[in-house]
Every structure is written in structure tokens, then in C-alpha cells.
Amino acid sequence: MRKARASGDDETPRQNGSSSRRRSDQQPVDGEDHDSSSGGQQDDDDENDLGLRREIRSKYRDLINSVQQNREDMLSPSNNKLTEVLEEANKLFKDVRQAREAALDAQLLVVATDLGKEKASQLFSEGSAFDPTAFAEHLLSFMGLNRLEDEDDEPLNGGVGDGYLPRDAWHKLARRAECCFMTAPSFHYMMGSFHAEPPAPKQRVERQRKAPSKEAKRIMPTQLKKMDESHQEATEKEVERILGYLKSYYQDDSSSPISYYEFVIDPNSFSRTVENIFHTSFLIRDGLARLYLDTDKLPCIEPVEEADVEAAGSFSRKQCIVSISPKIWRELINVFEIKETIIQAPETQNE
């Protein structure tokens, strides 16, 4: 009995389990029916969208064809067909959702834009062009031109009839045109404007020059004058002394040229070298010595005879500027291997 009951108890949950399975098997069937119904509605919406898109594309193509076929009629100034086409395109564009319809809308816009541009140019060309003669005629009428009684006379001034303008004609035109220009208001004098005349040229009065006084005659103080004279005498003496060295050195060996750098460079003093170059330049200036280039294109110096000095006075001399620095001075000493100076320092100068 216990076994039977136990077996009976065991079977009950199995039956319940099978029934629950059957119920669960039946539930997805109901779900499938729900999905199939929603899928059917989706298919209907897609078909409706496709139909709407086909309709929109068809209308766009009709508009494009109508613009292309009625192009000549739409170019007429009195024809507003182009405006109606654009309004219809704006209505269709509200339902555009895909790229194909948007491409057709862009194509229609390009066609309409070209047509509108051509229509605008045609309106400009067919419109009334600017006629300067008619403009002048209207301008004179606005200014109040009083024409002559005799209208048979030939008009003057480019076809405009002759006549008289009132005094305020140009003021009337200015008041009418001043609104077109952003200018400051004109300024008016309370007592009327005045015409300024150019000032009369002033007569130039020559001042009497004062007679120079005795103090003004003195160009420089006596002390500076004496110093200048003493320096000039010292320079002349030094130039004569250097000329004596040049002549004596040249007489010893007149066949060999005297190198200019060996003659003026003092290997023991850079300042003495500069002084020698300075004083030697006076010999060249006065024609007491001359410079020339040897076969190696190096400068050489030699004295000039007194007869040659007088003959060379009429010829023009060329001048040049010699620059020297301590670095160049040392390089010249090494290149020419100068050991002693030709121009000895004066006794009064201590090196």
C-alpha cells in the first residue's frame, strides 16, 4: 500500500510537469501569432512608404520635364510658371526622407536656377537701358528749366533744349541728392561767407651787414696758430728727412727696385710704420717720388729727379687710400722678412 501510494504520489508531479510543459509549449505559439501580426503591419508600412517614394519621384520627374519642355515660355517676363514649380517642389520636399528623392530635388533646383539666371539676364537686356540724354532732360525739368519760346531752334548741349535755370536750381538738386550721401552738414556763417584773398607778398628788406670787428678777423687764437705752424714745420722736416733716406738708399743700388713695404715698415713699432706711410704720401703728392708695380704686381718706390718733377707737374696724379692694421703689419713683416727699418726714428723720439 505504501508503495502504491508512493508511486501515486510520484506520478502526480510528473503529470503536473507535463501539463506545465504543454502550457509552456502553447504560450510561444501565441507569441508567434503576435509577431506575425506585427510583421504584417510592418510590411504594410513598408509598402506604403515605397508607394509614397515612387509618387514623390514621379512628381519630381514631371516637374523637371515640364521645366525643360516649357523653357521658352518660362523665360517670358510675364510668365510665373517658374515660381509655381518652385512652390510645388517645396511642398514635395516636406515628405523627402531618402537620398534618391533628395537627388531629384537637387536636380530640379539646378535646372530652375539656370533658368532663373537666364531669365534675369534677359530681363536686364530687354529692360530700359540708361539714356544720358533722357536723364539730362529729366534733371533739367526737375531743376526748373525755363525753355525758350522758339522751339524750332536746334537744341544745344547734346540734344537738350536751351533755356535758363533759376538761381536756386543747383541748390534744389543738392537738397534732393544729399540724402543719398553720408556727408557732414554744411557750415554756414552768420554774417555770410567771406572770400579770403591771398596775402600780398612781403617786400624783402636786405639787412646791412656789419663790418667785421678786429676780433672777428682772428680765425684762431694765437696759441693754436703757433701750434699749427710748429706741426706743419715738423711735418715738412720729416718729409725732407724721409726723402733723404729714399735717395741715399736708391743711390746705393739704383738697378734693383725698392719695395714700398720694406721702405715704410718699422718691424719694431706699428705707430712708426703709420707715420712713415703718412709722410711718404706727401712725397707722392708733391711728385718727389713715384710708385709703380713690379713684375710680381708688388708696389715699389723710387725718387724722382728734379727735372722730372717740373715736367710731371702738368700731369694728373692718381690717389689711393692705404689701410693697415696690426695684424696686416705683422703679416707683412713675416712675408717680406723685414728685420731692420730703413727709415730710422728721429733722435727726439724714444721707442
Side-chain angles (χ1 to χ4, degrees):
M1 292 295 289
R2 289 181 181 177
K3 292 180 180 179
R5 288 179 183 177
S7 63
D9 293 339
D10 293 338
E11 288 177 359
T12 16
R14 289 179 185 173
Q15 291 177 358
N16 293 335
S18 62
S19 63
S20 62
R21 286 179 186 174
R22 289 174 185 174
R23 289 175 184 174
S24 63
D25 292 340
Q26 291 176 357
Q27 285 178 358
V29 173
D30 296 338
E32 288 177 359
D33 294 340
H34 179 68
D35 293 340
S36 63
S37 62
S38 63
Q41 291 178 1
Q42 218 169 21
D43 294 338
D44 294 339
D45 294 339
D46 293 340
E47 289 178 0
N48 293 333
D49 290 342
L50 290 174
L52 179 60
R53 291 177 60 190
R54 290 193 190 98
E55 184 180 357
I56 293 174
R57 289 197 296 270
S58 177
K59 290 181 179 181
Y60 268 120
R61 292 190 184 97
D62 293 340
L63 291 176
I64 293 172
N65 293 332
S66 65
V67 172
Q68 292 177 348
Q69 292 176 2
N70 302 324
R71 186 180 185 86
E72 298 297 331
D73 297 336
M74 289 184 179
L75 289 175
S76 176
S78 59
N79 195 332
N80 295 328
K81 185 66 176 175
L82 182 60
T83 305
E84 296 175 1
V85 170
L86 292 175
E87 291 177 355
E88 184 67 22
N90 289 335
K91 294 178 182 179
L92 293 176
F93 188 73
K94 295 179 181 179
D95 297 329
V96 172
R97 296 293 183 271
Q98 300 295 331
R100 292 183 62 185
E101 291 77 20
L104 288 173
D105 181 78
Q107 183 179 355
L108 175 62
L109 183 61
V110 170
V111 175
T113 304
D114 294 339
L115 183 61
K117 181 180 179 182
E118 186 176 353
K119 187 174 182 179
S121 62
Q122 189 174 357
L123 285 173
F124 178 76
S125 61
E126 291 180 357
S128 58
F130 177 75
D131 187 2
T133 304
F135 175 74
E137 184 71 24
H138 291 299
L139 189 62
L140 291 173
S141 300
F142 174 77
M143 295 169 66
L145 176 67
N146 296 325
R147 300 187 181 279
L148 296 175
E149 296 180 358
D150 189 6
E151 297 180 355
D152 297 335
D153 296 341
E154 294 182 359
L156 302 176
N157 300 328
V160 180
D162 198 359
Y164 298 97
L165 289 173
R167 292 181 178 274
D168 61 341
W170 290 105
H171 295 282
K172 184 179 179 181
L173 178 62
R175 287 192 296 271
R176 179 66 181 84
E178 66 182 356
C179 61
C180 303
F181 301 95
M182 300 295 292
T183 56
S186 59
F187 181 78
H188 299 281
Y189 295 94
M190 295 179 63
M191 303 300 293
S193 61
F194 66 93
H195 299 281
E197 297 180 356
K202 296 181 180 180
Q203 295 181 356
R204 187 175 181 181
V205 180
E206 295 183 0
R207 298 180 181 179
Q208 296 180 356
R209 297 181 179 179
K210 296 181 180 180
S213 59
K214 294 181 179 179
E215 295 180 358
K217 290 182 179 179
R218 294 186 300 176
I219 299 175
M220 61 179 65
T222 307
Q223 185 178 1
L224 295 178
K225 190 174 182 180
K226 290 182 179 179
M227 290 178 61
D228 183 65
E229 291 177 355
S230 61
H231 282 298
Q232 185 175 0
E233 292 177 358
T235 302
E236 291 177 356
K237 291 180 180 179
E238 184 67 15
V239 169
E240 292 178 356
R241 191 176 70 86
I242 292 176
L243 178 60
Y245 277 106
L246 179 62
K247 288 183 178 180
S248 62
Y249 192 80
Y250 182 76
Q251 289 175 358
D252 293 341
D253 189 3
S254 59
S255 59
S256 62
I258 304 173
S259 174
Y260 172 76
Y261 293 115
E262 293 179 1
F263 180 72
V264 297
I265 288 178
D266 187 344
N268 301 318
S269 174
F270 174 74
S271 59
R272 281 292 307 157
T273 301
V274 175
E275 291 180 2
N276 294 339
I277 293 174
F278 174 71
H279 293 121
T280 306
S281 64
F282 287 98
L283 297 178
I284 307 300
R285 185 198 65 177
D286 298 336
L288 299 175
R290 72 182 187 92
L291 284 175
Y292 65 94
L293 299 178
D294 60 1
T295 56
D296 297 329
K297 302 298 181 181
L298 296 175
C300 298
I301 187 171
E302 66 178 6
V304 178
E305 299 296 335
E306 295 181 359
D308 296 336
V309 172
E310 295 177 358
S314 59
F315 295 99
S316 61
R317 299 184 181 90
K318 296 181 181 180
Q319 297 180 353
C320 64
I321 298 175
V322 178
S323 62
I324 191 170
S325 64
K327 180 181 179 181
I328 299 175
W329 171 67
R330 286 189 292 268
E331 291 178 354
L332 291 174
I333 293 174
N334 295 330
V335 170
F336 288 93
E337 297 179 355
I338 301 174
K339 304 298 182 183
E340 296 179 357
T341 178
I342 296 178
I343 304 173
Q344 300 295 330
E347 297 178 356
T348 57
Q349 184 176 0
N350 296 324
E351 288 287 342

